[in-house]
Amino acid sequence: MKSKKSILTRRKFFKNTGIAALGLSFGTNKSWGAPAYIPNLLKPNSKINGIQIGVITYSFWGMEDQSAEATLQYILDCGINAIELMGNVAENYLRKPQYEIDRRTLNRLKRLDRKKEISRDEKKQLADLKQQQKSYEKAATNWKKNRDPNDLFKLRKMFNDAGVEIYAFKPDDLLGSKNSDADINYAMKAGKVLGASHVTLELPGPPYGPKDPEHTLRLGKLAEKNDIKVAYHGHTQQHAKWWDTALKQSESNVMNPDLGHYIAAGNTDVFEFLSKMNKKIYSMHIKDRTTPANGQDYTPFGMGDTPIVDVLQLMRDQKYSFPATVEYEYKTPKNSTIINEIKKCVDYCKDALES
């Protein structure tokens, strides 16, 4: 579904501006909690000609086991050696209580109760669900009081011993405008402990910025105190000047753009954008999407309108230092698996960087 309408190619961009064996595949171990790797012996390598290809662990959301040990195995199976770690993996490692209440049923019963259309059995079910929620909230509050970012050193060591570095950390529900300074400081300290140079979140504001400059200022100042960067992610709201306010507020405010979403937004200036802003980019998500004219679809790498090959080669040739983070979001084919599809994405990037 390649668009015939031109998205400025890398070659044309150079002309106009005057700018002149991937990883090992590890067999899946069905006994989760006992990863099939030998520390310090066989390690993956997805840094190709100076460009680090990574993955955000959100890519594995469809896998049944979301433990840190299982997630590490998925990463190794994909031949990847550096990642953006999602908060759920870290929190699972720290044994945060799991929310297992059926929200849909709870909300439906609450609506019936408000309308006074609830049956006796449903009322009993609602009371039981409310009690479960109350118990969860109490356990989660106690967990929160006792959490310590230093407990994540062991998680970092487990990943590092397997050859996997954590360059970015995306905590769950800890960096929002309604969070306390204690929550935000915890998230940033956790990122530091994990070895990340930056924490990531969607640029604040409805529906993801840039309409909350007070909060980006707050985050920037807290990041300065914690000696870490806070990198703002974007979806189809992205455009070249979208991050300007946050970047001006603090040197600790940086960027985590998404190449696929940038193209799906209809932007055609991606090479100028990267050339101008590369020093402010600390990591960039890569996925393949089509332009608005072609439906803004998510596709396997090489089948959409996103110039992944040209962008990776630009990064290589201009020696940009930020990682390219694979984010797997297209539908898994019936005859394939999430792991196999992510491996194809990595191989696609490898071929681009070795060409």
Side-chain angles (χ1 to χ4, degrees), residues 55-121:
V55 68
I56 181 170
T57 57
Y58 169 80
S59 300
F60 304 114
W61 70 268
M63 305 294 282
E64 183 176 356
D65 192 337
Q66 293 292 307
S67 68
E69 292 83 1
T71 301
L72 175 57
Q73 186 65 56
Y74 305 148
I75 296 161
L76 296 175
D77 286 345
C78 293
I80 292 170
N81 75 311
I83 64 167
E84 178 179 349
L85 185 73
M86 290 288 290
N88 70 302
V89 178
E91 290 180 343
N92 287 343
Y93 185 79
L94 295 179
R95 299 184 179 181
K96 180 181 180 180
Q98 298 297 302
Y99 190 90
E100 297 177 347
I101 301 162
D102 185 340
R103 285 188 176 91
R104 184 174 296 179
T105 299
L106 177 61
N107 291 332
R108 179 179 63 83
L109 293 174
K110 283 181 176 179
R111 286 195 298 272
L112 290 174
D113 192 36
R114 285 195 299 270
K115 294 178 182 178
K116 300 187 182 202
E117 297 174 358
I118 192 168
S119 70
R120 181 177 298 179
D121 287 344

Side-chain angles (χ1 to χ4, degrees), residues 37-43 72 154-165:
Y37 61 83
I38 303 174
N40 300 314
L41 182 57
L42 300 177
K43 295 182 179 181
L72 175 57
K154 290 182 180 179
L155 175 61
R156 174 182 178 177
K157 185 177 188 304
M158 180 175 72
F159 275 63
N160 291 173
D161 285 350
V164 177
E165 300 293 326

Side-chain angles (χ1 to χ4, degrees), residues 138-197:
K138 181 179 179 180
T141 298
N142 289 335
W143 176 85
K144 182 177 176 179
K145 288 178 181 177
N146 296 309
R147 68 189 176 191
D148 183 348
N150 291 321
D151 291 339
L152 291 170
F153 272 119
K154 290 182 180 179
L155 175 61
R156 174 182 178 177
K157 185 177 188 304
M158 180 175 72
F159 275 63
N160 291 173
D161 285 350
V164 177
E165 300 293 326
I166 300 168
Y167 56 76
F169 177 52
K170 186 167 189 174
D172 293 342
D173 304 319
L174 290 173
L175 297 174
S177 59
K178 294 182 180 179
N179 287 109
S180 64
D181 283 3
D183 281 343
I184 295 170
N185 285 322
Y186 168 81
M188 292 179 175
K189 288 175 182 176
K192 288 278 288 184
V193 168
L194 290 165
S197 64

Side-chain angles (χ1 to χ4, degrees), residues 86-292:
M86 290 288 290
N88 70 302
V89 178
E91 290 180 343
N92 287 343
Y93 185 79
L94 295 179
R95 299 184 179 181
K96 180 181 180 180
Q98 298 297 302
Y99 190 90
E100 297 177 347
I101 301 162
D102 185 340
R103 285 188 176 91
R104 184 174 296 179
T105 299
L106 177 61
N107 291 332
R108 179 179 63 83
L109 293 174
K110 283 181 176 179
R111 286 195 298 272
L112 290 174
D113 192 36
R114 285 195 299 270
K115 294 178 182 178
K116 300 187 182 202
E117 297 174 358
I118 192 168
S119 70
R120 181 177 298 179
D121 287 344
E122 287 173 329
K123 203 170 188 75
K124 183 178 179 181
Q125 185 183 11
L126 176 59
D128 181 59
L129 288 173
K130 284 183 174 179
Q131 183 57 47
Q132 289 180 44
Q133 186 172 42
K134 185 176 180 181
S135 297
Y136 166 78
E137 289 171 353
K138 181 179 179 180
T141 298
N142 289 335
W143 176 85
K144 182 177 176 179
K145 288 178 181 177
N146 296 309
R147 68 189 176 191
D148 183 348
N150 291 321
D151 291 339
L152 291 170
F153 272 119
K154 290 182 180 179
L155 175 61
R156 174 182 178 177
K157 185 177 188 304
M158 180 175 72
F159 275 63
N160 291 173
D161 285 350
V164 177
E165 300 293 326
I166 300 168
Y167 56 76
F169 177 52
K170 186 167 189 174
D172 293 342
D173 304 319
L174 290 173
L175 297 174
S177 59
K178 294 182 180 179
N179 287 109
S180 64
D181 283 3
D183 281 343
I184 295 170
N185 285 322
Y186 168 81
M188 292 179 175
K189 288 175 182 176
K192 288 278 288 184
V193 168
L194 290 165
S197 64
H198 55 295
V199 293
T200 63
L201 77 156
E202 280 71 15
L203 186 65
Y208 302 137
K211 300 177 181 178
D212 194 353
E214 290 184 7
H215 190 51
T216 51
L217 176 62
R218 178 189 177 204
L219 288 174
K221 296 304 180 185
L222 289 172
E224 290 170 14
K225 293 179 180 178
N226 284 288
D227 190 28
I228 197 168
K229 304 295 184 182
V230 54
Y232 299 100
H233 183 64
H235 296 88
T236 50
Q237 307 91 342
Q238 295 173 110
H239 56 77
K241 298 183 179 298
W242 194 57
W243 292 264
D244 284 1
T245 298
L247 296 180
K248 290 175 183 176
Q249 289 173 328
S250 170
E251 287 296 318
S252 292
N253 282 340
V254 294
M255 302 167 65
N256 172 234
D258 187 298
L259 179 63
H261 292 325
Y262 197 83
I263 295 302
N267 296 298
T268 59
D269 62 344
V270 65
F271 298 104
E272 296 98 329
F273 168 65
L274 293 175
S275 178
K276 180 180 178 181
M277 304 306 298
N278 71 87
K279 291 182 180 178
K280 288 292 185 180
I281 297 173
Y282 269 60
S283 59
M284 179 175 69
H285 289 192
I286 52 172
K287 61 173 64 74
D288 206 346
R289 291 193 67 181
T290 57
T291 61

